[in-house]
Amino acid sequence: MSMQLSGLLAQIVPDYTRPVSSMSPKYFEVLEQNSHIIYPLVAILTLVLIAAGVLQAWKTQDMDGLQKNEFKKAIVNELRRNITGLPGDVLAKAVGLDRLKTNRLLEQMQQDGMVVSHTNSQRLTVWRIRGSGPEQSVRRY
């Protein structure tokens, strides 16, 4: 009787099918089959995004022309007050600008011929207005 009962139960219960696993969807097959195309594209896209971020940050750090001219005027006024010259750090504090931006402006002004610089014995670069004193190359000891 138990054989007959197990035979009847086997006919009533449908065959068991495994559920679809989350590990076997079609997009994994697409990734595996096209990995030589997809992963380099993702890497290039990442590099482009990083480069765009760096360029955007670089542009926002730069000042516009009007601000540059105002700070250059303030630097010239401060250097006129101190004819012997001032280090870049002191100028940055006096003008109220970041030290690195002040040094960049001073280098631009030196290229334009507005200021001159020399390094003293304490290894400080001292900036002064051009023509306010004897040039370093003219001094004789």
Side-chain angles (χ1 to χ4, degrees):
M1 170 111 170
S2 70
M3 290 279 270
Q4 290 177 346
L5 189 59
S6 66
L8 287 175
L9 285 175
Q11 291 175 356
I12 296 173
V13 177
D15 291 330
Y16 175 78
T17 58
R18 290 181 54 190
V20 177
S21 172
S22 63
M23 295 303 292
S24 64
K26 295 290 183 191
Y27 61 85
F28 278 126
E29 292 175 16
V30 170
L31 284 176
E32 289 176 0
Q33 291 173 356
N34 298 316
S35 64
H36 64 283
I37 297 171
I38 294 173
Y39 293 123
L41 285 177
V42 170
I44 291 171
L45 179 65
T46 303
L47 290 176
V48 167
L49 287 174
I50 289 172
V54 167
L55 289 176
Q56 183 66 26
W58 183 42
K59 287 181 181 180
T60 58
Q61 294 291 328
D62 201 18
M63 295 183 285
D64 63 347
L66 183 63
Q67 285 179 334
K68 280 184 183 180
N69 286 336
E70 289 176 4
F71 282 117
K72 284 181 181 181
K73 185 177 180 181
I75 289 171
V76 167
N77 288 337
E78 195 65 34
L79 288 174
R80 283 182 181 161
R81 285 189 201 112
N82 300 307
I83 294 176
T84 58
L86 290 172
D89 295 340
V90 175
L91 276 172
K93 288 179 184 175
V95 173
L97 189 62
D98 183 37
R99 183 176 48 96
L100 296 174
K101 289 181 182 179
T102 304
N103 283 336
R104 191 173 1 166
L105 283 177
L106 286 167
E107 288 171 0
Q108 288 176 0
M109 292 170 69
Q110 186 176 19
Q111 288 175 353
D112 294 340
M114 297 173 68
V115 297
V116 292
S117 68
H118 69 277
T119 304
N120 62 12
S121 61
Q122 299 168 345
R123 294 188 179 225
L124 283 175
T125 302
V126 178
W127 300 89
R128 61 183 175 83
I129 294 288
R130 186 172 186 175
S132 64
E135 298 295 327
Q136 294 295 321
S137 60
V138 176
R139 287 187 185 174
R140 295 183 186 180
Y141 297 101

